[in-house]
């Protein structure tokens, strides 16, 4: 069942990243700049944040077996809209609704946390999150390769077919878990803000996700610009294959889950942030070196993906009765930050290119490291009081 959750989550979240290696052909198709083409990623992530906020909290009050197949089918319909859109504005509309209904992975993640025992929760969530990360990587790689062969529009037809197939599998095999409590929809959404406002732990953990996530999208969107320009001039397929280097990060995520089970999540967070900063420095200095970029991508993936899974696992442990709502707060804030990161990538690229992107990324991660230090002090204080 853990494997099924990982595959389903990966297939779902991949929808957010099919377009990332395709920004250059999309820009050419509609006669727009690369910076404007980056809005496809931004709009998708904004839709995703809104969808997560409005749909994912229902996991605490409605049987999730009923929700998942519906949102998967609706996501497939949005993919069809993108594929057939005759205008860039129509494509953006389809991208928004694709993001809005691509919430399956964030419904499955807290469900996996509910089904797992306390001593295996970190490992189980690590596996499911690895599925999310692999889904992102495979979507990028497959997207570029398919676009090189068939063009960019059939990529979204392929994705739509996958979503329909997965919706059938989920409808047949997902376990039924009764709701934890009965609460009106309005109060359910309001409780997200209440939990966020009252808990310092929630605020700090959200920041530990938000800051790295903005760097995550900044880096990957900027990498598309870098690799499509001189001296690399890579095709969409080659850019997608570069994303496979990040598979090291997906492997690291499973190890990060085990760190959580051993009570070492804060130590892992700190090491991940430092490793991500080192990778940014290497990538920035070696902007014209293929080897430097490869090393930077691998280290960046290991460090940052470990940070993101540890932060999310810590968030889900704060209040077991409200896991879906806590996950909503975490993911909504993360992907709003991700939308800002991808939008900033286009603007920063136009202003100063790759090194400007990496400078902003490094500063942002240094701020995250300060937040991590505050979190460590708070944890030590709480432990001494207990």
């Amino acid at each position: 069942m853990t494997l099924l959750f990982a595959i389903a989550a990966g297939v779902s979240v991949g929808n957010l990243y099919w377009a990332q290696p395709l920004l250059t052909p999309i820009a050419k198709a509609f006669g727009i700049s690369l910076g404007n083409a980056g809005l496809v990623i931004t709009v998708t992530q904004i839709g995703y944040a809104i969808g997560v906020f409005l749909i994912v909290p229902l996991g605490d009050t409605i049987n999730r077996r009923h929700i998942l197949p519906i949102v998967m089918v609706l996501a497939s319909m949005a993919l069809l809209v993108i594929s057939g859109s005759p205008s860039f504005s129509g494509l953006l509309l389809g991208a928004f609704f694709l993001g809005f209904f691509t919430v399956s992975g964030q419904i499955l993640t807290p469900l996996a946390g509910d089904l797992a025992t306390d001593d295996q929760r970190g490992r189980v969530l690590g596996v499911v999150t690895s599925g999310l990360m692999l889904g992102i990587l495979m979507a990028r790689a497959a997207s570029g390769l398919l676009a090189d062969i068939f063009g960019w529009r059939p990529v979204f037809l392929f994705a739509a077919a996958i979503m329909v197939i997965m919706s059938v599998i989920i409808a047949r095999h997902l376990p039924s878990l009764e709701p934890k409590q009965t609460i009106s929809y309005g109060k359910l959404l309001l409780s997200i803000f209440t939990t966020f406002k009252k808990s310092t732990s929630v605020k700090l953990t959200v920041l530990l996700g938000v800051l790295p996530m903005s760097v995550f999208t900044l880096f990957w969107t900027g990498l598309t610009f870098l690799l499509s320009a001189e001296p690399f001039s890579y095709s969409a397929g080659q850019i997608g294959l570069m994303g496979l280097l990040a598979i090291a990060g997906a492997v690291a995520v499973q190890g990060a889950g085990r760190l959580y089970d051993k009570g070492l999540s804060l130590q892992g967070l700190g090491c991940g942030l430092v490793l991500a900063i080192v990778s940014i420095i290497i990538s920035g200095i070696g902007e014209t070196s293929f080897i430097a970029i490869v090393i930077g991508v691998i280290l960046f993936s290991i460090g940052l993906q470990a940070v993101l899974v540890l932060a999310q696992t810590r968030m889900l442990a704060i209040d077991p009765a409200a896991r879906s709502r806590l996950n909503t707060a975490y993911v909504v804030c993360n992907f709003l930050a991700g939308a800002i990161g991808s939008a900033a990538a286009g603007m920063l690229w136009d202003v100063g290119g790759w090194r400007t992107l990496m400078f902003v990324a490094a500063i942002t991660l240094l701020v995250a490291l300060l937040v991590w230090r505050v979190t460590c002090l708070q944890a030590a204080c709480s432990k001494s009081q207990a």
Side-chain angles (χ1 to χ4, degrees), residues 353-375:
W354 179 248
R355 288 199 176 181
T356 301
L357 281 164
M358 293 301 95
F359 176 77
V360 172
I363 295 298
T364 305
L365 289 177
L366 285 172
V367 174
L369 201 57
L370 290 175
V371 174
W372 169 80
R373 181 56 183 162
V374 172
T375 304

Side-chain angles (χ1 to χ4, degrees), residues 5 9 21 34 56 64 68 73 78 88 111 139 164 194 221 238 258-259 277-278 291 338 363:
F5 275 37
L34 262 180
V56 171
R64 282 161 279 195
L68 282 160
V73 170
F88 186 63
L111 176 57
V164 171
T194 303
T221 304
Q238 290 170 315
R258 293 187 178 92
L259 283 177
I277 291 170
V278 171
I291 299 299
I363 295 298

Side-chain angles (χ1 to χ4, degrees), residues 114-182:
D114 289 340
L115 294 172
T117 59
D118 290 339
D119 63 332
Q120 67 174 192
R121 186 163 293 115
R123 180 180 60 81
V124 168
L125 289 175
V127 172
V128 174
T129 310
S130 291
L132 288 168
M133 298 301 178
L134 285 170
I136 294 171
L137 303 180
M138 296 307 295
R140 287 194 190 117
S143 175
L145 289 172
L146 288 170
D148 279 354
I149 299 171
F150 302 108
W152 66 269
R153 291 184 185 272
V155 170
F156 297 99
L157 289 175
F158 174 76
I162 292 176
M163 286 304 295
V164 171
I165 293 169
M166 186 53 65
S167 70
V168 174
I169 295 172
I170 284 293
R172 295 187 62 181
H173 297 288
L174 192 72
S176 182
L177 194 64
E178 291 305 312
K180 302 171 188 175
Q181 55 186 295
T182 302

Side-chain angles (χ1 to χ4, degrees), residues 204-228:
L204 289 172
T205 307
V206 164
L207 280 174
L208 283 173
V210 160
L211 294 168
M213 187 62 184
S214 65
V215 175
F216 181 84
T217 55
L218 181 78
F219 182 91
W220 284 105
T221 304
L223 188 65
T224 299
F225 301 152
L226 176 69
L227 296 179
S228 61

